[in-house]
Amino acid sequence: MSFNYGLRPTTVQMLASSGSSSQSSAFGEYTYYVRICADADCHILFGSNPTATTSSIFIAQDQPEVFKVSPGEKLAAIGSSNVSISELSA
């Protein structure tokens, strides 16, 4: 599957997730979209201080997703996976 949103990648964060919720750093001031890809199934949640649970957004292994976010938000993930977070701007 190919995605072309015409957005510029800026910062990439790697988040190791396990049996408890892990949290990313805050997104940059010009970040309005993020591309998420995980090497194993996991659950994610966005917010100013998020805690992901198994009821949060499901991300399937190796299936990239793009989400609209606000600058300063963070991502939390739970599950035995490594999550790649690519911050995107116009």
Side-chain angles (χ1 to χ4, degrees), residues 20-62:
S20 60
S21 182
S22 299
Q23 198 174 95
S24 72
S25 298
F27 303 142
E29 76 175 298
Y30 298 107
T31 299
Y32 291 96
Y33 295 89
V34 292
R35 179 182 175 271
I36 307 299
C37 190
D39 65 359
D41 292 353
C42 65
H43 292 84
I44 65 168
L45 185 67
F46 298 97
S48 60
N49 187 24
T51 300
T53 68
T54 55
S55 297
S56 301
I57 301 165
F58 176 74
I59 297 293
Q61 174 183 354
D62 298 327

Side-chain angles (χ1 to χ4, degrees), residues 3 5 11-15 17 24-25 27 31 33-46 57-69 73-78 81-88:
F3 300 98
Y5 295 100
T11 301
V12 175
Q13 297 187 49
M14 295 300 294
L15 182 63
S17 171
S24 72
S25 298
F27 303 142
T31 299
Y33 295 89
V34 292
R35 179 182 175 271
I36 307 299
C37 190
D39 65 359
D41 292 353
C42 65
H43 292 84
I44 65 168
L45 185 67
F46 298 97
I57 301 165
F58 176 74
I59 297 293
Q61 174 183 354
D62 298 327
Q63 296 296 313
E65 297 275 353
V66 174
F67 294 91
K68 183 164 178 50
V69 297
E73 280 190 313
K74 300 175 184 177
L75 175 133
I78 190 168
S81 66
N82 295 302
V83 181
S84 173
I85 307 162
S86 299
E87 297 181 35
L88 307 170

